[in-house]
Amino acid sequence: MSGVAQAAEKIAKGANKVADATKGISAAAGGALVAIGGMAGKAVKNADELNTLAKQTGFSVEELQKFQYAADLVDVSMSDITGSATKLKKAVASESKELAALGVVTKNADGSYRDINAIWYDTLEALGGIQNETERDTMAMAIFGRSADSLAGIVDDGGASLKAYGQEAEAL
């Protein structure tokens, strides 16, 4: 075997050793890339869902993220929160007598609608102030629809726990 052939053989053996040594690293790196890609895909899907919910409810994406964080902590599903928010939006648009009876202001001085977030918390606070549980539940059902039952914990404390967890989420 010529010197060039021997050198080529040594280079080939060395290259094979390097390839063998990096196989595990390449597989791990590939796995990590797949995992990162999956997380990115989930993040994009979550952002898209939040954008859709923002359009349906009138809440900002940031506020919905706070609700998402708080939902499990207050034992209320995110779908119940957004469903009730959609009902609230309809109640505002129809100038609900229940909102008026609670003293919830839905319009600004110029006749434009107030921010739904402010109306949401004002409504929860007003409902939380009703001492008679039956009256409170009846009023909540009229405003929030079927979701009102699952919102009981939020309604009972006037939205304080939801607001507190939202502030915690913002801090994180």
Side-chain angles (χ1 to χ4, degrees), residues 7-109:
E9 190 175 314
K10 284 183 182 180
I11 290 172
K13 284 182 182 177
N16 285 337
K17 286 181 183 178
V18 169
D20 288 342
T22 59
K23 277 184 185 174
I25 294 171
S26 297
L33 287 174
V34 168
I36 290 169
M39 290 187 322
K42 286 180 185 176
V44 168
K45 183 179 178 195
N46 188 42
D48 183 52
E49 288 172 0
L50 288 176
N51 273 330
T52 301
L53 287 174
K55 289 174 187 167
Q56 291 171 349
T57 63
F59 287 115
S60 68
V61 170
E62 293 80 12
E63 194 64 30
L64 288 169
Q65 287 173 323
K66 291 178 191 178
F67 290 161
Q68 202 169 38
Y69 173 81
D72 287 337
L73 299 170
V74 294
D75 294 326
V76 177
S77 76
M78 185 65 175
S79 64
D80 284 337
I81 291 174
T82 57
S84 61
T86 301
K87 295 281 190 200
L88 174 63
K89 197 168 135 180
K90 289 177 183 175
V92 169
S94 68
E95 299 183 12
S96 158
K97 64 182 183 202
E98 290 81 12
L99 289 173
L102 288 171
V104 175
V105 177
T106 59
K107 291 188 177 181
N108 295 311

Side-chain angles (χ1 to χ4, degrees), residues 114-171:
R114 291 178 59 222
D115 178 65
I116 194 68
N117 191 51
I119 296 170
W120 167 262
Y121 281 110
D122 287 353
T123 303
L124 291 175
E125 187 176 331
L127 286 168
I130 298 173
Q131 296 303 311
N132 182 307
E133 189 176 331
T134 304
E135 183 181 340
R136 180 175 56 234
D137 292 348
T138 303
M139 191 74 81
M141 287 290 272
I143 296 167
F144 296 128
R146 289 177 286 182
S147 301
D149 281 341
S150 61
L151 295 179
I154 295 172
V155 169
D156 291 348
D157 75 359
S161 59
L162 188 63
K163 194 179 282 189
Y165 286 127
Q167 290 169 346
E168 186 177 303
E170 193 172 341

